[in-house]
């Protein structure tokens, strides 16, 4: 409408440029009048693992938890997984799923991914429960609301475009109707792109860089942390997901000085660097003391208590989505905390207990929802989700 | 984290490319290793008009209506407008506004715009009310909820990035606290980029191309439709905004056949073309009849009833934002309908009355919120919003 192009309009140009760059830093002709190459922003729905897990946090995502209807048995759940697998392939490709009533809302090149999970109760039907996959015990600081907790199935859609997320979720929930009914829905957003267009870790609504401590994707540490390698056969190359809805008291947080905020986190707000370092990914020096002999990264700071070295080396791979929830004129803000690990009980629970006991951030955060899911491994073109469990 | 770049990461490359292209279709070297030019996605906060009005629909937007506190007089309102003008300049620039408690959430290059409006009651304080600026009468099909209606002030923030919108709105609402208190908040999203990266009109959640009938930005027709040229002196180059929250019954709509849907709209769903044409922007043939002698664009179709030729040539410039509103496991979907016109009573009201009386879409849509605002003209670096009214 005006001369100002949108991000994805610019990105149309970039699609061509990126193809050239991928071919080895080539020279690319850009001409506003010439037809642009369509950008390649489709993510294959197939693979060893469900594809979103190791990918970047999407700009938009919606999570829906559903409960199985009483009449849904193992065979019916298998039918739903076949149906969803077909939907997932179509949606990833920007095609309408079968039976789509608004097929024009299926658009390609929005990096759409769908992730499916199975809650603990599903394994009463199927057996072969991944060890440690149980609802988390209620922590001392938790104020769990049924509206945001539990669920037999999870479907999570992420994309670059909010319309596409809403459309995909509607299709998936509609197809589940004979089998399962929605229990809760959570919608979140994240920005993992810096002002210069480079990838960044992203910030939560306290302004903190959030997610720095993760194992790097593709490293043995990552693989060991995330993918199941023992437990039931069907679950190899799968992972688990913990979803915690964490309300954040922005007004109370704002009343702190910046140094109080940084002491609670153990990191510098501006860069995300540990208080003992200068760059975001500097290793924490957990022994360093200041001139007064106090630990620089305080005993109860979030960075210390969540560091794998104080958790017997156990790690998690965590992501987050910011959320806002309006109740008329008032607004609640928070984080949809997402943690992947091979084993919830072995990796996540000890960390959670430690944070619940002492984390300085507990003064300004309250967990109001909690759920755990097993995420089956990925599927290939000749197969479907969780077929090894449900065939 | 993975090799897959996000839209805005690609867009970092595109920033450089676009600069080259703007210089005349130049050849641009793209090298993934070299530092990228920061993309230029800042929109000047200054100008003859508030800058978002004639711009494209943002990917994300939030509207907050506020009511003035009883003690807020004309002078106090002037102080708020000065404060907001400073905020608007900082936020557009990606800088934290003065007093920002989470300054790191202010990021540049997200095409952030802020638009401010004054509700009808404000002019009881100030005088000089734009003619025709009154709350709309309640229509027969309206089911207005106080939670989404009215307001003395409007602040609307749009951007490419949802985190930036939330951050900016929080700052603006915080600065208003001594003067005004939030009445309602509405959050919406839109996709005006096609799969190939080109600009498109965008679709609502019925799947309809929505907004085709607008006068083209920059034409005399647009200027005449949107910008006030008579009425009080301070309001010249300003416009009005009608905000209608329209709930859409997606499930009932889905039960129609596609030809029933297209007959209700008067346009083809796939392309948005009128039923008498083949391309989206083809002119409607309102006289054309089919083999049975029936009007092709039906008497009660939305396209006919909203066409300016059946409204004495009166036009509006309308935009829309899709919304979803979750109530536990259930979801409401709809459109935040936004209409700009120089004169609400003269241009919008006759159209609204005509649609309320007969529009086929009334069967699947219900307006649950309604508000009108005068949007002051833009301001320059040495001035502030609505200074001609409030000085």
């Amino acid at each position: 409408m005006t001369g100002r192009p949108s991000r994805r309009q610019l990105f149309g140009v970039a699609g061509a440029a990126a193809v050239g760059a991928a071919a080895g830093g080539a020279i690319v002709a850009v001409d506003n009048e010439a037809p642009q190459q369509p950008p390649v922003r489709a993510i294959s729905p197939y693979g060893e693992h469900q594809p979103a897990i190791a990918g970047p946090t999407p700009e938009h995502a919606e999570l829906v938890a559903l409960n199985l209807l009483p009449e849904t048995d193992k065979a019916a759940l298998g039918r739903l997984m076949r149906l969803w697998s077909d939907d997932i392939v179509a949606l990833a490709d920007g095609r309408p799923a079968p039976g789509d009533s608004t097929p024009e809302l299926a658009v390609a090149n929005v990096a759409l991914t769908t992730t499916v999970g199975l809650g603990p109760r599903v394994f009463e039907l199927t057996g072969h429960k991944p060890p440690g996959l149980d609802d988390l015990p209620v922590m001392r600081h938790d104020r769990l609301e049924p509206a945001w907790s539990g669920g037999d199935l999870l479907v999570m859609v992420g994309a670059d475009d909010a319309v596409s997320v809403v459309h995909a979720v509607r299709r998936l929930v509609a197809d589940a109707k004979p089998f399962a009914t929605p229990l809760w829905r959570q919608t979140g957003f994240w920005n993992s792109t810096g002002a210069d267009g480079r990838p960044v870790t992203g910030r939560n609504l306290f302004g903190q860089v959030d997610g720095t401590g993760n194992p790097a994707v593709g490293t043995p540490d990552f693989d060991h942390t995330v993918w199941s390698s023992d437990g039931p056969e069907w679950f190899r190359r799968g992972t688990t997901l913990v979803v915690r809805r964490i309300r954040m008291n922005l007004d109370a947080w704002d009343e702190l000085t910046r140094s109080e905020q940084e002491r609670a986190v153990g990191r510098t707000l501006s860069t995300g660097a540990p208080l003992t370092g200068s760059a975001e990914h500097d290793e924490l020096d957990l022994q360093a003391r200041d001139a007064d002999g106090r630990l620089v990264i305080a005993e109860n700071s979030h960075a210390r208590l969540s560091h794998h070295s104080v958790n017997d080396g156990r790690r998690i791979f965590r992501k987050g989505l910011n959320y806002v929830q309006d109740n008329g004129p008032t607004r609640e803000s928070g984080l949809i905390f997402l943690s992947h690990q091979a084993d919830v009980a072995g990796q996540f629970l000890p960390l959670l207990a430690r944070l619940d006991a002492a984390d300085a951030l507990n003064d300004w955060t309250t967990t109001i929802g909690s759920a755990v899911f097993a995420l089956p491994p990925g599927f290939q073109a000749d197969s479907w989700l969780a077929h090894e469990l449900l065939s």
Side-chain angles (χ1 to χ4, degrees), chain A residues 60-62 64 84 87-88 90-108 110 112-114 155 157-159 161-175 185 187:
Chain A
H60 311 275
E62 182 174 345
V64 183
W84 271 0
D87 289 348
I88 288 168
L91 291 164
D93 208 26
R95 288 182 289 113
D100 193 335
S101 52
T102 51
E104 287 81 11
L105 293 183
V107 296
V110 292
L112 189 142
T113 58
T114 307
V155 63
V157 175
D161 165 46
V163 182
S164 299
V165 171
V166 167
H167 169 257
V169 167
R170 183 156 191 259
R171 185 73 253 137
L172 292 158
V173 170
D175 280 342
R185 292 167 175 270
T187 304

Side-chain angles (χ1 to χ4, degrees), chain A residues 232-289:
Chain A
E233 186 67 35
W234 76 272
F235 191 56
R236 307 279 162 91
R237 305 173 311 283
T239 184
T240 67
L241 176 66
V242 171
V243 181
R244 307 264 296 171
R245 188 171 179 92
I246 302 177
R247 194 170 61 203
M248 292 161 55
N249 189 335
L250 267 52
D251 291 337
W253 178 255
D254 280 358
E255 287 169 16
L256 303 181
T257 64
R258 276 178 84 78
S259 83
E260 286 169 334
Q261 293 176 345
E262 293 182 339
R263 194 171 160 80
V265 184
R267 292 182 177 273
T268 310
L269 283 163
S270 60
T271 61
L275 293 179
T276 55
S278 59
E280 181 190 347
H281 290 283
D282 285 352
E283 203 32 71
L284 279 64
D285 180 349
L286 296 172
Q287 273 66 56
R289 291 178 182 271

Side-chain angles (χ1 to χ4, degrees), chain A residues 295-313:
Chain A
L295 285 164
V296 177
I297 297 177
E299 206 66 72
N300 66 345
S301 67
H302 184 77
R304 174 184 294 271
L305 291 170
S306 60
H307 195 258
H308 56 92
S309 70
V310 300
N311 286 288
D312 302 325

Side-chain angles (χ1 to χ4, degrees), chain A residues 196-238:
Chain A
D196 61 358
R198 291 176 182 277
V200 294
T201 304
R203 293 178 184 271
N204 64 34
L205 296 177
F206 280 166
Q208 302 161 358
V209 175
D210 197 333
T212 304
N214 277 332
V217 173
T219 61
D221 201 9
F222 178 88
D223 292 343
H224 178 72
T225 299
V226 174
W227 308 125
S228 174
S229 55
D230 47 18
E233 186 67 35
W234 76 272
F235 191 56
R236 307 279 162 91
R237 305 173 311 283

Side-chain angles (χ1 to χ4, degrees), chain A residues 1-5 9:
Chain A
M1 260 188 275
T2 64
R4 176 167 71 79
Q9 287 152 22

Side-chain angles (χ1 to χ4, degrees), chain A residues 63-67 143-151 154 181-187 243-245 247 323 325 327 332 336 367-371 373:
Chain A
L63 295 84
V64 183
L66 306 95
N67 273 343
R143 296 294 176 270
L144 300 185
E145 299 173 11
W148 307 113
S149 297
L154 174 78
T181 187
L183 177 66
W184 52 253
R185 292 167 175 270
Q186 301 191 45
T187 304
V243 181
R244 307 264 296 171
R245 188 171 179 92
R247 194 170 61 203
Y323 79 81
Q325 174 85 15
N327 306 298
E332 176 188 306
I336 306 169
T367 300
I368 60 173
S370 183
F373 301 96

